[in-house]
Amino acid sequence: MLLDYFGIVIMALLGGARLHQTLSGEWWALPLFAHAMISALMLVLHRKTGRHAPLLQRLVAWFSALLPFAVQIEKPVPIALRALSLAGVALAVWTIAVLGKSFDVSPADRGLVVVGPYKWLRHPMYASELFSVLVIVCVDLSVRNILVTLMLVATLVLRIRWEEKLILGYQDYGNQVRNRLLPGVW
């Protein structure tokens, strides 16, 4: 429960930072503001459940969710790449809307969602996050950004495995929707 409150505060603070960026003329931060604030709201409203992951897995999930903020871009991001990255953010916002009260960062069984982007991809939230990060990191392939991206991939794979074991009915869903993260790959 304390982790939920921590998450709500973090998402709200990140939303505030993105709002400041938007008001300072960085229009591309507006969807990131919306993403952070919708995430904070959904964390307040999410379904409580008795079936949740152990503390270590929940901490890893939060670490993973915050990793993209460790990416540092010191070069100008071309407008086309910003647009591609924002497409990933748009998919994330759609996914949160579809998840509704089932949304959370920590792995838990809040019910299986199989509509919207979940008809084609088992983990569209993670796919959108990874896509957005990869697009932006391509601008500045520093050692730091590559390491952050590799840690993100590793933690996403862990989160996927944990969630698939935890959510009731997931095996049948997995038989229907083959693609976990990358269509045609995994």
Side-chain angles (χ1 to χ4, degrees), residues 18-37:
R18 296 303 187 192
L19 179 60
H20 182 294
Q21 285 179 290
T22 302
L23 295 175
S24 298
E26 298 180 43
W27 62 269
W28 57 269
L30 184 60
L32 297 173
F33 161 72
H35 179 261
M37 297 313 291

Side-chain angles (χ1 to χ4, degrees), residues 1-13 40 43-44 46 48 62 104 106:
M1 191 65 147
L2 182 60
L3 204 51
D4 291 338
Y5 294 125
F6 169 76
I8 293 164
V9 169
I10 292 295
M11 288 299 173
L13 288 172
L43 286 169
V44 169
H46 77 261
K48 307 298 183 228
W62 273 103
D104 200 340
S106 299

Side-chain angles (χ1 to χ4, degrees), residues 9-173:
V9 169
I10 292 295
M11 288 299 173
L13 288 172
L14 292 172
R18 296 303 187 192
L19 179 60
H20 182 294
Q21 285 179 290
T22 302
L23 295 175
S24 298
E26 298 180 43
W27 62 269
W28 57 269
L30 184 60
L32 297 173
F33 161 72
H35 179 261
M37 297 313 291
I38 290 168
S39 296
L41 177 63
M42 292 289 87
L43 286 169
V44 169
L45 298 176
H46 77 261
R47 274 187 207 114
K48 307 298 183 228
T49 179
R51 262 182 74 94
H52 55 81
L55 180 60
L56 179 60
Q57 291 179 8
R58 295 186 308 212
L59 289 171
V60 169
W62 273 103
F63 175 74
S64 177
L66 297 174
L67 263 173
F69 294 98
V71 170
Q72 289 185 343
I73 305 300
E74 298 186 17
K75 299 175 183 176
V77 179
I79 215 81
L81 290 181
R82 285 185 188 181
L84 274 176
S85 182
L86 291 178
V89 172
L91 175 59
V93 170
W94 179 32
T95 303
I96 291 170
V98 168
L99 283 171
K101 291 184 177 186
S102 293
F103 172 77
D104 200 340
V105 172
S106 299
D109 187 355
R110 287 179 200 81
L112 186 59
V113 175
V114 297
V115 297
Y118 290 91
K119 289 189 280 190
W120 306 288
L121 198 60
R122 288 194 228 169
H123 300 278
M125 176 68 72
Y126 301 152
S128 65
E129 184 177 333
L130 184 58
F131 177 76
S132 293
V133 168
L134 286 172
V135 167
I136 296 300
V137 166
C138 285
V139 172
D140 193 347
L141 288 173
S142 67
V143 170
R144 174 195 178 99
N145 288 343
I146 292 169
L147 289 174
V148 167
T149 303
L150 290 174
M151 282 192 300
L152 178 63
V153 169
T155 56
L156 289 177
V157 169
L158 287 173
R159 292 171 76 184
I160 286 168
R161 297 218 184 267
W162 295 334
E163 288 177 12
E164 289 184 359
K165 287 180 184 173
L166 188 62
I167 298 172
L168 296 175
Y170 210 95
Q171 187 172 359
D172 291 336
Y173 169 65

